[in-house]
Amino acid sequence: MRPPAPDDLDSSAPVRAVTVADVLALPVLTAGEPEVVTGVTHLDRPVRWAHITELTDPASFLKGGELVLTTGMPLPGDAAGVRRYVDELAGVGAAALVIELVRRYHRPPEALVDACQARGLPLITLARDVNFLEVTQVVHALILGNQAEAMRRTQRIHEAFTALTLRGAGPEDVVRAAAEMSGRTVVLENLVRQALICEPSGTTLEEALTGWEQRSRATPSGDRTRQGGPEGWLAAPVEYQGERWGRVAMLPARTTEPAFGPEHIIVLERTAMALTVARLIHPAPWERTAHRNALRDLVEQRHHSPEDARARLVALGLPTENSRFLAVVVDLPAEDTTANTTATPETRLSQELRTAGIPALVGELAPGRVGVLLALNASRPWLPAVERLSSAVLDLAPHALVSVGSEADDLTDAPRSFHEAARVADATPPDQPLPAGRSFRELSDVGLRCLLYALREDTRIQEYAERQLGRLLDHDTRHGTDLLPTLRHYLEAAGNKTNAARRGGLSRETFYQRLRTIERVLDCDLESGEQRTELHVALTAMDVLRVR
């Protein structure tokens, strides 16, 4: 079988060791018409050196990883001697045996083929004469050059992570850099096997994180960088203040190349060190940061696919099977958003929900606004969960505003629930009383006043209110009258003049006279239901525009 050509080495890819396949593809050896007789599946063995020998016991001069070159002259003539010769080469860890079929042999001896086959030692024959000295020179130059490049790349890795540390990079930056340098998917997890940060490489979030906790628990942890588990992860512990806090895992690529090399180990170890420093620089709990980022990406629909979003939230510990989802938005007064980092509103709400056994993700969506995604069992009503959450919020901040979206049967509808909750929050004036018997608000609570409050910055609303009522306000200012309160009483009484006069503490004759003045100033007919509606909308808009 002809040897395969080596893969092209991408200058951006990690430097890998020179293999038997790489050496066989060199022109100095292809000139000899090499043929792989045995061990074709072991051509990925690294070659540490090339060694010419005509000794009957070359193994005593080898240390392992050598490409052994021979003319075949010293091979024993008996089968037992050939087996002993091959056993010694395989025992010392020779990379391959190359025999020239020019002088002593013109075809490889059967005893040699059988012995190499039995020990899994690659046996390569050369049909033409080759200058072995030139072969060693070329191979050694390739190996040394490869080692020099590996050292340069190792230096660049150290410099890159040093730069990250010096500029105070956060964990996301560190994990992203590790994935880019290694060309592998890198995941940071905590001690309970929740994947806090995942930077995929050559795969998707769904593929990287599906079944994360079970896969992670099948991969043993250790006190040093090691490869193990059913999938062959490369993992390194991450420490914080002298104690193990979590670990960073590098997942193997789906290629025929070896999963990891020395450079991958260097990248992962430097990643773990940089994460330890980042944890000291950024003391806020990373779980909270992970929840915040996951919620923001979900609300803004920044995931590549619904499957990616689902896999990410499950990896953070949120159940998605047989669950219904409900979004809650909590707006906190400014004085309640300056708490210390160990007792932030997000932390305290997360603790309250955990105590209640309610699965949820809690994270800051914007300054002063906390988002909560509840994952409720399909048979569990949502009202008690929201009431408990709302009570905890009001204990934390009595003037907080809790807004709820509608239920979502699937995670793909959770962004809609968040947008609804945000619309409720944005449409609620500070002086709006709570609905009777409830400590939170929902979409059905958004009436005309709330709608106009939400649109208060729209200049069309402002122009409308001014166009309808501006002349009446000007009249009151110039003449010291109070026609606007009279109009308000009339509109609130739904056009009942008797009730309106009583509300204003006026006689009917005085009240009627004021209504005629209002009609004259505004050039309107207060007997018209449509015009009364227009004035009522304008008056409500004027009220919400004055809310502070």
Side-chain angles (χ1 to χ4, degrees), residues 79-317:
V82 170
R83 284 196 299 271
R84 184 172 59 254
Y85 181 90
V86 172
D87 285 343
E88 290 178 355
L89 290 180
V92 79
L97 174 62
V98 179
I99 182 170
E100 189 180 72
L101 301 180
V102 176
R103 292 169 176 81
R104 180 177 176 183
Y105 299 106
H106 296 287
R107 57 182 299 176
E110 290 185 9
L112 181 63
V113 173
D114 293 342
C116 290
Q117 186 74 46
R119 294 303 302 265
L121 179 68
L123 173 63
I124 297 100
T125 61
L126 300 176
R128 293 181 178 275
D129 189 20
V130 170
N131 187 328
F132 281 171
L133 182 59
E134 185 179 353
V135 170
T136 60
Q137 290 174 338
V138 174
V139 172
H140 294 167
L142 177 62
I143 293 172
L144 293 173
N146 192 69
Q147 291 174 348
E149 176 60 20
M151 292 179 64
R152 286 192 293 270
R153 291 182 64 85
T154 299
Q155 180 63 27
R156 288 198 291 270
I157 291 170
H158 287 298
E159 291 173 351
F161 278 106
T162 298
L164 285 170
T165 300
L166 289 177
R167 68 179 176 85
E172 295 88 356
D173 297 327
V174 173
V175 173
R176 187 180 306 113
E180 291 173 353
M181 290 184 210
S182 65
R184 301 289 190 268
T185 296
V186 180
V187 182
L188 173 66
E189 66 172 14
N190 60 11
L191 289 177
V192 294
R193 312 303 175 104
Q194 293 178 345
L196 304 184
I197 303 173
C198 175
E199 192 65 35
S201 180
T203 185
T204 63
L205 271 174
E206 179 192 9
E207 293 173 333
L209 295 180
T210 296
W212 178 262
E213 182 177 348
Q214 294 76 14
R215 293 160 59 202
S216 175
R217 293 189 182 281
T219 304
S221 299
D223 296 328
R224 57 182 177 81
T225 303
R226 57 180 294 186
Q227 185 177 358
E231 299 178 46
W233 291 1
L234 185 66
V238 178
E239 295 185 350
Y240 178 59
Q241 295 183 341
E243 296 184 357
R244 190 158 61 88
W245 171 85
R247 69 176 174 176
V248 58
M250 187 179 288
L251 278 53
R254 296 179 177 178
T255 65
T256 57
E257 294 183 8
F260 304 109
E263 190 171 323
H264 293 103
I265 296 175
I266 294 172
V267 168
L268 196 65
E269 290 179 341
R270 283 307 309 262
T271 301
M273 291 174 60
L275 287 170
T276 297
V277 175
R279 187 67 193 267
L280 294 171
I281 298 174
H282 305 279
W286 286 356
E287 288 86 353
R288 195 173 75 212
T289 303
H291 290 193
R292 178 198 66 196
N293 293 342
L295 282 180
R296 289 182 180 180
D297 288 346
L298 179 69
V299 172
E300 297 172 20
Q301 297 180 291
R302 292 194 293 230
H303 291 100
H304 292 297
S305 69
E307 292 74 20
D308 277 6
R310 188 180 306 276
R312 184 178 181 187
L313 297 186
V314 171
L316 286 172

Side-chain angles (χ1 to χ4, degrees), residues 20-92:
V20 175
D22 296 331
V23 172
L24 295 182
L26 294 172
V28 69
L29 269 176
T30 58
E33 299 180 5
E35 186 81 18
V36 181
V37 180
T38 67
V40 68
T41 59
H42 300 298
L43 297 183
D44 59 349
R45 287 182 175 179
V47 176
R48 187 183 63 83
W49 208 242
H51 185 76
I52 305 171
T53 182
E54 298 299 343
L55 299 174
T56 57
D57 59 341
S60 60
F61 296 92
L62 305 179
K63 293 184 178 180
E66 291 87 358
L67 184 77
V68 179
L69 304 166
T70 181
T71 62
M73 297 299 291
L75 281 178
D78 60 307
V82 170
R83 284 196 299 271
R84 184 172 59 254
Y85 181 90
V86 172
D87 285 343
E88 290 178 355
L89 290 180
V92 79

Side-chain angles (χ1 to χ4, degrees), residues 493-508:
N496 187 309
K497 298 176 182 177
T498 301
N499 289 341
R502 187 180 303 113
R503 288 187 180 192
L506 300 173
S507 66
R508 293 183 62 182

Side-chain angles (χ1 to χ4, degrees), residues 295 328-330 346 361-366 369-373 418:
L295 282 180
V328 180
V329 168
V330 178
E346 303 100 285
L361 290 185
V362 182
E364 186 185 57
L365 299 178
R369 172 166 290 183
V370 176
V372 182
L373 178 62
F418 269 108

Side-chain angles (χ1 to χ4, degrees), residues 201-529:
S201 180
T203 185
T204 63
L205 271 174
E206 179 192 9
E207 293 173 333
L209 295 180
T210 296
W212 178 262
E213 182 177 348
Q214 294 76 14
R215 293 160 59 202
S216 175
R217 293 189 182 281
T219 304
S221 299
D223 296 328
R224 57 182 177 81
T225 303
R226 57 180 294 186
Q227 185 177 358
E231 299 178 46
W233 291 1
L234 185 66
V238 178
E239 295 185 350
Y240 178 59
Q241 295 183 341
E243 296 184 357
R244 190 158 61 88
W245 171 85
R247 69 176 174 176
V248 58
M250 187 179 288
L251 278 53
R254 296 179 177 178
T255 65
T256 57
E257 294 183 8
F260 304 109
E263 190 171 323
H264 293 103
I265 296 175
I266 294 172
V267 168
L268 196 65
E269 290 179 341
R270 283 307 309 262
T271 301
M273 291 174 60
L275 287 170
T276 297
V277 175
R279 187 67 193 267
L280 294 171
I281 298 174
H282 305 279
W286 286 356
E287 288 86 353
R288 195 173 75 212
T289 303
H291 290 193
R292 178 198 66 196
N293 293 342
L295 282 180
R296 289 182 180 180
D297 288 346
L298 179 69
V299 172
E300 297 172 20
Q301 297 180 291
R302 292 194 293 230
H303 291 100
H304 292 297
S305 69
E307 292 74 20
D308 277 6
R310 188 180 306 276
R312 184 178 181 187
L313 297 186
V314 171
L316 286 172
L318 188 76
T320 59
E321 293 294 328
N322 301 318
S323 294
R324 291 175 296 114
F325 304 94
L326 190 71
V328 180
V329 168
V330 178
D331 283 353
L332 297 164
E335 61 271 17
D336 293 311
T337 62
T338 57
N340 63 67
T341 57
T342 60
T344 62
E346 303 100 285
T347 301
R348 295 172 67 175
L349 292 181
S350 295
Q351 292 171 346
E352 177 67 25
L353 290 168
R354 279 197 299 270
T355 302
I358 303 172
L361 290 185
V362 182
E364 186 185 57
L365 299 178
R369 172 166 290 183
V370 176
V372 182
L373 178 62
L374 302 175
L376 304 172
N377 188 281
S379 61
R380 184 174 183 175
W382 62 266
L383 186 59
V386 174
E387 285 286 5
R388 177 152 187 174
L389 172 63
S390 182
S391 297
V393 170
L394 296 179
D395 287 342
L396 174 66
H399 301 293
L401 171 63
V402 181
S403 307
V404 181
S406 58
E407 278 189 293
D409 293 329
D410 191 83
L411 190 62
T412 55
D413 292 327
R416 169 185 55 77
S417 184
F418 269 108
H419 292 316
E420 291 176 354
R423 285 203 297 272
V424 174
D426 294 339
T428 303
D431 59 349
Q432 185 80 359
L434 279 166
R438 275 199 278 121
S439 57
F440 62 89
R441 305 176 192 276
E442 53 187 329
L443 206 56
S444 60
D445 299 323
V446 178
L448 175 63
R449 187 171 188 270
C450 293
L451 178 63
L452 292 173
Y453 180 76
L455 299 174
R456 65 192 181 279
E457 295 182 1
D458 192 321
T459 56
R460 291 172 295 183
I461 297 294
Q462 300 170 14
E463 289 171 355
Y464 178 81
E466 183 64 23
R467 186 173 66 252
Q468 291 286 337
L469 299 174
R471 285 171 292 171
L472 195 62
L473 289 168
D474 291 343
H475 184 280
D476 280 349
T477 300
R478 288 195 304 268
H479 301 285
T481 56
D482 52 358
L483 296 180
L484 188 66
T486 300
L487 177 62
R488 184 186 301 277
H489 294 317
Y490 177 70
L491 295 175
E492 289 175 350
N496 187 309
K497 298 176 182 177
T498 301
N499 289 341
R502 187 180 303 113
R503 288 187 180 192
L506 300 173
S507 66
R508 293 183 62 182
E509 182 61 29
T510 302
F511 190 79
Y512 290 166
Q513 181 181 358
R514 290 190 178 186
L515 289 182
R516 288 192 293 270
T517 303
I518 291 172
E519 287 179 321
R520 176 176 56 79
V521 172
L522 296 181
D523 190 20
C524 67
D525 179 9
L526 293 179
E527 296 298 323
S528 167

